[in-house]
Amino acid sequence: MNHDMPSPAGTTDVVSTDAVYGAPCWVSLTSRDLQSTEDFYSAVLGWEWRPMRLGDQFRVALANGRPVAGIAAVAGMWQMAVAWTPYFAVRSADEAAGRVQERGGTAAVGPISLPPGRAALLADRDGATFGVWEGALFSDWPTWRRAQLAFIRLHTRDAFDAAIFYGEVFDWASGGPGGCEVHYEGEEVVLRSQGDVVARIESGALGSAPDPRIRPHWQVHFTVTDVAACARAAEERGGAVLALGPEEAVLSDNDGARFTVTSRREH
């Protein structure tokens, strides 16, 4: 998504979703209170913030000067759940939303125009929420992708069935220029874009489980230098530690949105 970030000196190229269609292109958090959300993630992940041209309710998070994620204080306005959501690049948000519905998924919000593009918030047929974005990506988007500050993983009922669903929606494995490749590695489905691993899909979720961590969902991971310190800071700022290991922790923020911090690079 285009978040009005300035281009690096001497850079004029703008990446379009046409060039990387079907690949994850951004992660965004819906929030009820923008200032509270900023304070939490500044303390836990060390993020800084910049405004967006979309309005006062939108911010871009920066880690070491690099764009990491978007925050939108629209949960109350649009009656949406507070959650981290991955967005996928598409040529047409309307066409992608139609494909999702044809295959048993649902459209929660949109498609709507958010100049310079269009977006929609959708759910697959097992209930996992994701978004699509059509249009220009923010300046220096390739840096975001190469840095792998954010990574996504789908916990779902059946990884191979999910791969078919998303493959049909996003034309995965179609062989077209810029498209994504799907590989099966053991029990996981691995998505690659231009040679890079950009997402993983794993089985084992339970569609009717009362615990949202067990139900199908996309989990957003952020790479950090000190997992334990992030976990401590989350608790101090009103969040919670849902699972803690030496190299990874599942946390929830002070608004209840779940995310993962990891010291490992996903390859």
Side-chain angles (χ1 to χ4, degrees):
M1 298 171 69
N2 186 313
H3 291 288
D4 307 310
M5 298 297 296
S7 298
T11 300
T12 58
D13 292 341
V14 175
V15 177
S16 165
T17 52
D18 282 348
V20 289
Y21 71 92
C25 63
W26 193 236
V27 294
S28 185
L29 172 65
T30 50
S31 166
R32 294 189 183 94
D33 185 325
L34 195 62
Q35 187 60 58
S36 176
T37 298
E38 288 185 8
D39 291 345
F40 177 89
Y41 287 96
S42 293
V44 175
L45 299 177
W47 289 352
E48 298 177 339
W49 305 91
R50 287 186 182 173
M52 292 166 55
R53 193 167 50 195
L54 290 173
D56 293 339
Q57 299 303 306
F58 297 85
R59 295 287 189 276
V60 173
L62 305 177
N64 300 318
R66 294 176 293 189
V68 184
I71 308 293
V74 296
M77 182 192 319
W78 292 351
Q79 297 185 348
M80 297 165 59
V82 173
W84 278 103
T85 303
Y87 279 76
F88 292 82
V90 294
R91 293 191 176 104
S92 168
D94 295 86
E95 181 179 317
R99 288 185 179 186
V100 165
Q101 292 173 300
E102 289 168 1
R103 288 158 180 80
T106 57
V109 177
I112 58 176
S113 293
L114 292 172
R118 286 176 65 75
L121 185 65
L122 310 166
D124 65 24
R125 52 190 171 218
D126 284 323
T129 302
F130 63 99
V132 295
W133 172 253
E134 165 202 348
L137 300 169
F138 64 83
S139 302
D140 201 26
W141 178 81
T143 299
W144 174 83
R145 174 166 165 157
R146 288 193 303 269
Q148 290 190 314
L149 294 172
F151 182 83
I152 61 171
R153 182 185 293 271
L154 176 62
H155 302 269
T156 190
R157 177 184 52 80
D158 185 319
F160 303 106
D161 181 69
I164 292 172
F165 173 88
Y166 287 96
E168 291 176 345
V169 171
F170 296 130
D171 287 331
W172 289 352
S174 64
C180 293
E181 301 173 357
V182 175
H183 300 265
Y184 299 92
E185 299 180 3
E187 298 299 316
E188 282 193 331
V189 176
V190 180
L191 184 68
R192 284 186 169 86
S193 174
Q194 300 178 358
D196 297 324
V197 175
V198 292
R200 293 180 182 269
I201 302 175
E202 64 180 17
S203 301
L206 301 176
S208 59
D211 187 340
R213 290 173 291 176
I214 301 175
R215 292 198 299 266
H217 66 282
W218 281 99
Q219 186 77 357
V220 176
H221 297 238
F222 296 105
T223 302
V224 299
T225 56
D226 191 331
V227 168
C230 291
R232 288 194 299 271
E235 290 185 315
E236 291 169 358
R237 290 287 175 159
V241 178
L242 306 178
L244 178 62
E247 295 185 311
E248 188 169 278
V250 181
L251 310 175
S252 67
D253 66 20
N254 55 337
D255 220 4
R258 298 183 306 278
F259 62 102
T260 298
V261 293
T262 177
S263 59
R264 298 192 305 268
R265 287 296 186 94
E266 302 281 355
H267 294 291

